[in-house]
Amino acid sequence: MSKTFMWNEKCERMSRSELENLQLGRLKTLIESLYKKVPFYKERMDKAGVSASSLKTLADLKFFPFTKKTDLRENYPFGLFSEPLSNVTRLHASSGTKGKPTVVGYTKNDIDMWSEVCARSLCAAGARPGDILHNSYGYGLFTGGMGMHYGAEKFGATVVPASGGRTQQQILLLQDFGARILCSTPSYALNIAYTMEELGIKRDTIKLERGIFGAEPWTEELRSQIEDKLKIEALDIYGLSEIVGPGVSMECAEGRNGLHIWEDHFLPEIIDPVTGDVLPIGEEGELVFTTLTKEAIPVLRYRTGDISRLSLETCACGRTTARMQRVRARLDDMLIIRGVNVYPSEIEKVLLALEELSPHYQLVIDRRKALDVLSVQVEVTDELTKQWGHFDNDCVEFSNLSTHIQTLLKDNLGITADVQLMKPKAVPRSEGKAVRVVDKRKEDKSQAESAAVKTPVSKH
Ligand code: DLL
């Protein structure tokens, strides 16, 4: 068997005891520094009655307070920074669709560390120095584009900074520049595949062999569809801006079974999302990360809201780091439909198992007569539409098929849903992170709220 090529074998194959010693040392330094430099953490640690001296083993981390997204928002923009802005070379921010954006900063060393973990990730996915890498993650405040870009440059790849959108032109560049590696969200990879099909562009006019896909939840079923359509190997990359951006963990090409966490920089825990208790290795719960080496905005026990589980089993690639299983869902994406809890990824699994359907779908939730109603809008395949003929509306009637899907959703997930079969291209295509859920109840509420703000209220 040929030896696995690793970007940083020393760090990726450390023995468990060596790694844990390193983590403990870094964790103590981090806690001391947060206590001294960030009033928010001093206050939280004082309240919990803990300090660096409380940390005798890694397990003692459980006594320390969590950090949440709301803490970043409440301390907007720079309240949780550990370094003055004069030492910060870059700022990124979330889109802020749910209020104030969350802002993160990077020192020069942070950018180096981020590039290092992205280079490790590229290598684990089977990229090689000299590869042409087409990067369709968005450039800008989102961390995806620039994170992968710097990692790829450090790695020695030739980067095509395509960013999101203008899909036809991206396909042209894929054809003419001959990229072997595609970095994008899984939903955008599908958009590329379907656009090629619609334009009648043959697969053998592009040289892609591998995709490094992440930034949104996706299922094994979606992976199969992407691999089948684009004839590439699709691998999962995970990350979040509060921890660093892309490159917190990466699935390796040899194992394809969980994502290697770059544990010398990011310390993972799995907790019960309700009680906050740390769960044993192997149990499913909410992922929590502590940054061990970040300078500008290190975070202590950051609650990601992502559901996964950890494994310490040996991997076929020889890396010794803990692996996290593909994120099953985000806690705040859970839908409650007439009392039944369901995640969009569970609905995706049911839909993608049916060959009559294409993988473009949206879940629309509305309220009718005080009851929540879920509409599953999913496109049928081109072949099915051709068999059936032409339609004036976007929504087509295949009553047997929609009843069949309704039954599958009821039997497998216990949910009652309207199923609307859509013509090809009727569901909006993703250019970055796919919008899987449209919650009209929230839209109505926020419209009502903004109307109330705009309406002048007389005090007399
Ligand atoms: O999405 C960073 C990133 C860019 C990761 C490119 C991978 C590739 P945020 O915009 O802060 O950062 O969103 C972070 O996206 O908490 C997860 O819910 C979700 N997410 C990221 N990667 C995956 C993945 C970037 N591989 C949030 N699978 C995270 C499932 C993912 N969800």
Side-chain angles (χ1 to χ4, degrees), residues 48 120 126 215 230 259 286 376 380 394 409 428:
R120 285 188 203 174
L230 279 177
L259 293 80
E286 181 181 354
V376 175
V380 294
D394 278 347
L409 292 171

Side-chain angles (χ1 to χ4, degrees), residues 161-227:
S163 198
R166 304 181 69 195
T167 308
Q168 286 201 28
Q169 198 206 17
Q170 298 221 18
I171 295 169
L172 184 87
L173 298 183
L174 285 168
Q175 290 179 300
D176 294 346
F177 296 175
R180 195 175 81 88
I181 311 286
L182 172 65
C183 294
S184 74
T185 56
S187 55
Y188 191 61
L190 263 188
N191 186 345
I192 292 178
Y194 273 81
T195 307
M196 282 177 65
E197 210 170 79
E198 280 152 27
L199 297 173
I201 294 173
K202 295 245 163 16
R203 167 60 182 89
D204 60 13
T205 61
I206 61 167
K207 295 204 174 85
L208 281 183
E209 286 177 26
R210 278 160 201 279
I212 299 178
F213 301 133
E216 63 188 7
W218 55 312
T219 55
E220 279 299 323
E221 287 74 9
L222 194 61
R223 177 183 354 226
S224 306
Q225 298 241 359
I226 295 173
E227 293 193 326

Side-chain angles (χ1 to χ4, degrees), residues 118-154:
C118 284
R120 285 188 203 174
S121 302
L122 291 170
C123 197
R128 294 294 168 257
D131 273 341
I132 300 174
L133 183 149
H134 186 99
N135 189 12
S136 300
Y137 286 121
Y139 282 64
L141 286 176
F142 175 53
T143 53
M146 291 181 78
M148 291 310 291
H149 185 108
Y150 275 60
E153 283 191 351
K154 183 176 179 117

